[in-house]
Amino acid sequence: MRTPQRALFLLPLLAVFAAPAPAADDTSLHQAIEIARERVYPALVNIQCLTRQFSQGRAQRFPSLGSGVIVSPAGHVVTNFHVIDGATRVTCQLPTGEKITADILCPDAPADLAILKLRLNEREDASKPIPFASIGDSDRLIVGESVLAMGNPRGLSSSVTLGIVSNTERVFTNFTGDSMEVLDLGEGELTGLFNHWIQHDALIQPGNSGGPLVNLSGEVVGINTRGGGGVAFSIPSNIVKKTLNQALTYGEVRRGWWGLNFVPVTQLGLKEGALVTAALPESAAHKGGIVAGDVVLSIAGQPVVVNGFEDVPLLYAFIADLPLNKPAKVRLVRGGEERDLTVVTERMDKFLSLEKVYGEWGITARPITAPMAWAWRFPDTNGVVLTTTRPGFPSDVAKPKLSSGDVILAVMGEPVTTEASFEALVKKHAGKKACGVRFRRSKQDMVTVLDLETKPPKGAGQELPRAWLGVQTQVLTPTVAEALGLKGTQGFRVARVLPGTQAEKAGLKLGDVITHVDGEALKASQEQDGEILKRKIEDMDVGADAKLSVLREGAKSDITVSLQEAPETAADADKAKDEVLELAVREMTYMDYVEHTDKAPPAKGEKGEIQGLVVSEVSPGGWASVAGLQGGDILLTYHDQPATTIQEFKDAVKKTAEARPKIVKLFVRRERSTAFVFVQPDWPAK
């Protein structure tokens, strides 16, 4: 359990007591405990993280703690995923007090595991061997066997508690016992699909998460994950071995996925097979022809026997181990008749994709993955799911207000199918007075209107300064990589180096392929991985040096870029309206200037190539619209008066309204040229 902010409890935390101490004359137990402690305790680590989380519509950082155990002489550490979820910095402290920085080598949310790698070369004595523990066979555990739980409860120094194994095949079902439940790690990240849990009564508390469960032979047989009320649960070590092996082989965990829900067949009066209760649309199983109600008898020639919910995780795990992108024969019963089908095993997507902030709306949201749709019973993967809202901002004051868990389906009547389409629609309607939003809440299809002119409340807090690299990139998909002669390479191709940035000064060039940041590989090979580099940079501090590993024309090199603060966005810029001409303007941002000039903006106080305000809104049918003003025009003068700042614009609007001319002359920059727009308004009666 992570502490202090995100400790997880499966059960209410009641009065919790440690297991009774062994009798004084039980010397064999004492000796076994001492041997086990000596073999594992030196490899125990206290994990300290600086974590970035999204809350109330914006990014925030906080410290958190957990436990882990070193399992290799190279410094690999096993802990829980929920301990390091969102972590931007990780430090491991040994029982000796030595602190070592660690990198997150492989997060594995579905198993609630993570593999870290200690930076042993940064130790004061890099040649000194690191203590490590051996991983045992969790399948050999028996009920009643004595075990030790090691960790750092409530952030205190390393500790050991004693208990016994209560159950080796624990699964969780709902109250009526008719469906299996998976556990929520927080923010909707689910775990427990692929394994039984080891239930024991060795005392664990917040901070023990990720610490080892140890048998009296001094082997790690589980990773403690959650508990309360005198009961605790651990991930079996044989699941840990799978994650560790894949992390060391691929740098990630690869699992097969069919998109099916199974339950036991006992209520059908059968002794063999597994009953399909759902097949996710567009999933591998759905494409292969499997439907709800089918009873699966065998997969890839192996008989399927699911007589209890204890068997369900084993079936999911069997499918997870099938060869990816390869066909597997399925024999099933449908309507009393046996038939054979073929399913091509697809790779399991990440359950949760990266979260993003949409500041003008005051929300954070993320795209919907196939496993998320399956687990949350969504009809499809269309839309984005809203994760948090910011008090006092448009999403929060709308009637009805948007809430966490809502799925945004359309903006101003245009459908939202992907995160990219949602982001484009938010930008398209930025600066408007109002924006209609259609969304799904549970089974309801609802509509609301956001007042985008809502002023943020005082004391709402500012967004954290975000580090910025100063480039635009594309994901190195397998097709692109092969076309560039870089087959098998993952990362990002530089599509544009923005002018005046630290990236340009450091020598980064168009066509460079960024594969690592500070030695950490960028595991990006699909379009949905497009935010990985951006998020990695944002997790660093403004002013920090980012060491980029770059491929340029096939040659490897390192380029160090001093990270600068991300420039102001259109949503952050000051705005103003002209109610008579029915137009709105905002201050020009860095990107506005670059798009119009291909140059960096001038330093503060210096005159640039262009000066003006961006026309952010032109009301359809309004006077400015009729005259031909366009959104995106740069307003240079307003009726022959300067309009380079919001205050100048307001003064010009006021002065012109008092004069009430028949024609209001607007001088604008459009694309690479300039133009006059002559507006002929009907002035309101005085």
Side-chain angles (χ1 to χ4, degrees):
M1 292 161 288
R2 186 183 194 162
T3 186
Q5 287 85 349
R6 299 184 64 208
L8 299 177
F9 290 88
L10 180 67
L11 304 173
L13 185 58
L14 306 174
V16 181
F17 299 95
D25 58 353
D26 193 352
T27 55
S28 60
L29 180 58
H30 274 290
Q31 291 171 350
I33 292 173
E34 183 176 352
I35 292 171
R37 182 185 67 82
E38 289 301 317
R39 289 179 176 174
V40 179
Y41 186 80
L44 182 65
V45 294
N46 184 341
I47 297 176
Q48 304 162 15
C49 301
L50 180 64
T51 301
R52 186 174 79 161
Q53 292 263 309
F54 293 91
S55 176
Q56 296 190 332
R58 63 194 184 104
Q60 298 177 322
R61 289 190 177 95
F62 59 82
S64 59
L65 301 171
S67 303
V69 60
I70 306 170
V71 294
S72 81
H76 294 97
V77 175
V78 177
T79 186
N80 285 140
F81 170 82
H82 74 258
V83 168
I84 55 84
D85 183 20
T88 60
R89 299 176 191 168
V90 181
T91 303
C92 293
Q93 181 173 334
L94 277 64
T96 59
E98 181 183 6
K99 291 186 176 181
I100 308 174
T101 301
D103 296 311
I104 301 172
L105 177 64
C106 178
D108 183 15
D112 194 12
L113 291 170
I115 309 301
L116 313 181
K117 178 68 168 60
L118 298 176
R119 297 183 182 178
L120 299 181
N121 61 320
E122 296 180 2
R123 301 174 75 194
E124 187 173 335
D125 182 0
S127 63
K128 182 180 178 181
I130 196 80
F132 67 96
S134 299
I135 302 178
D137 183 357
S138 53
D139 287 346
R140 298 179 62 183
L141 279 175
I142 59 174
V143 173
E145 182 175 345
S146 294
V147 286
L148 304 175
M150 300 185 186
N152 302 277
R154 303 191 180 276
L156 302 175
S157 57
S158 307
S159 70
V160 180
T161 54
L162 173 67
I164 64 168
V165 174
S166 310
N167 190 300
T168 60
E169 297 182 333
R170 175 64 66 211
V171 295
F172 302 105
T173 61
N174 63 2
F175 183 74
T176 58
D178 59 6
S179 66
M180 190 180 82
E181 291 186 345
V182 290
L183 303 182
D184 193 333
L185 300 179
E187 301 180 358
E189 189 75 76
L190 303 182
T191 188
L193 286 172
F194 305 105
N195 60 275
H196 299 137
W197 299 90
I198 301 168
Q199 179 182 327
H200 62 88
D201 64 0
L203 175 64
I204 63 173
Q205 296 194 42
N208 274 106
S209 277
L213 184 71
V214 181
N215 64 18
L216 295 190
S217 297
E219 298 171 323
V220 176
V221 290
I223 295 296
N224 292 314
T225 302
R226 52 185 45 79
V231 64
F233 300 93
S234 302
I235 301 166
S237 60
N238 287 350
I239 299 295
V240 176
K241 288 178 184 177
K242 283 188 177 182
T243 294
L244 181 60
N245 288 338
Q246 292 216 29
L248 298 181
T249 303
Y250 307 114
E252 61 184 352
V253 175
R254 301 175 181 178
R255 289 189 177 93
W257 179 249
W258 282 13
L260 288 174
N261 275 3
F262 292 107
V263 296
V265 292
T266 48
Q267 293 196 25
L268 297 178
L270 302 175
K271 295 183 178 180
E272 296 181 349
L275 175 62
V276 176
T277 60
L280 183 68
E282 301 307 315
S283 65
H286 180 262
K287 295 172 186 175
I290 298 178
V291 299
D294 288 346
V295 175
V296 175
L297 300 177
S298 67
I299 297 175
Q302 297 298 314
V304 172
V305 180
V306 178
N307 289 328
F309 282 104
E310 293 80 4
D311 300 322
V312 174
L314 303 180
L315 180 53
Y316 288 143
F318 178 78
I319 293 173
D321 290 339
L322 291 173
L324 298 179
N325 304 314
K326 301 291 184 182
K329 294 293 184 182
V330 182
R331 189 160 187 79
L332 53 81
V333 176
R334 181 183 300 167
E337 296 183 0
E338 292 192 11
R339 60 180 67 189
D340 293 316
L341 299 176
T342 300
V343 176
V344 177
T345 303
E346 296 178 353
R347 182 172 172 177
M348 185 179 189
D349 289 340
K350 296 175 183 176
F351 187 86
L352 292 183
S353 293
L354 296 176
E355 202 168 355
K356 292 186 68 174
V357 177
Y358 298 89
E360 187 175 5
W361 286 27
I363 66 169
T364 60
R366 58 165 44 105
I368 301 169
T369 64
M372 184 195 299
W374 171 83
W376 291 357
R377 308 295 195 269
F378 288 169
D380 50 46
T381 59
N382 289 332
V384 295
V385 62
L386 192 151
T387 52
T388 68
T389 61
R390 197 168 182 183
F393 278 66
S395 61
D396 181 62
V397 300
K399 296 181 180 179
K401 67 170 61 178
L402 293 174
S403 300
S404 175
D406 290 345
V407 176
I408 298 175
L409 302 173
V411 177
M412 295 296 285
E414 297 184 66
V416 174
T417 54
T418 63
E419 180 185 48
S421 67
F422 177 62
E423 187 169 349
L425 289 170
V426 170
K427 290 180 179 178
K428 178 179 179 180
H429 299 289
K432 291 188 176 180
K433 292 182 179 180
C435 186
V437 178
R438 177 172 157 250
F439 64 97
R440 184 175 66 241
R441 177 174 294 167
S442 187
K443 301 293 184 181
Q444 303 176 74
D445 192 303
M446 304 176 68
V447 173
T448 193
V449 177
L450 305 187
D451 180 358
L452 298 183
E453 293 184 307
T454 298
K455 300 295 183 184
K458 291 183 178 180
Q462 297 298 315
E463 188 69 39
L464 287 169
R466 293 175 293 128
W468 185 58
L469 189 57
V471 298
Q472 295 173 335
T473 61
Q474 68 176 113
V475 176
L476 205 66
T477 63
T479 304
V480 172
E482 188 168 359
L484 295 174
L486 299 173
K487 187 175 181 180
T489 304
Q490 295 186 344
F492 292 83
R493 178 182 178 273
V494 176
R496 185 184 188 186
V497 180
L498 294 168
T501 60
Q502 293 296 324
E504 183 183 55
K505 295 174 184 177
L508 209 56
K509 296 185 180 298
L510 172 68
D512 286 348
V513 175
I514 304 172
T515 60
H516 296 71
V517 176
D518 287 347
E520 182 177 341
L522 297 172
K523 299 170 184 175
S525 59
Q526 304 175 55
E527 291 297 336
Q528 56 263 40
D529 297 331
E531 293 292 311
I532 288 177
L533 175 59
K534 180 172 179 279
R535 283 285 298 273
K536 174 65 178 174
I537 295 299
E538 287 180 349
D539 286 342
M540 301 175 73
D541 294 328
V542 174
D545 288 339
K547 184 179 179 182
L548 309 180
S549 297
V550 171
L551 295 175
R552 181 181 295 171
E553 297 179 353
K556 297 180 180 180
S557 63
D558 290 330
I559 296 177
T560 300
V561 180
S562 178
L563 300 179
Q564 60 195 100
E565 184 174 343
E568 187 179 61
T569 66
D572 301 323
D574 286 344
K575 305 172 180 65
K577 282 185 173 292
D578 183 338
E579 299 293 349
V580 176
L581 271 56
E582 298 179 83
L583 65 94
V585 296
R586 61 170 173 78
E587 290 182 329
M588 189 181 299
T589 66
Y590 167 88
M591 286 306 300
D592 293 323
Y593 195 93
V594 168
E595 292 300 330
H596 281 85
T597 67
D598 287 327
K599 298 177 182 177
K604 190 173 183 180
E606 296 181 4
K607 189 174 181 179
E609 187 173 310
I610 56 171
Q611 291 179 298
L613 299 172
V614 178
V615 177
S616 56
E617 180 184 350
V618 182
S619 299
W623 295 117
S625 174
V626 170
L629 190 69
Q630 300 176 13
D633 286 348
I634 303 296
L635 179 64
L636 305 175
T637 65
Y638 184 103
H639 206 59
D640 295 327
Q641 299 167 73
T644 60
T645 68
I646 292 296
Q647 190 57 52
E648 286 181 346
F649 173 79
K650 290 179 178 178
D651 292 343
V653 169
K654 182 179 180 181
K655 185 176 180 179
T656 304
E658 291 171 349
R660 303 167 70 83
K662 289 184 179 180
I663 297 176
V664 179
K665 184 171 60 174
L666 306 179
F667 185 48
V668 302
R669 182 183 181 99
R670 181 176 297 162
E671 300 295 339
R672 299 292 179 181
S673 185
T674 54
F676 285 101
V677 178
F678 300 99
V679 187
Q680 303 179 50
D682 284 342
W683 294 102
K686 288 187 178 180

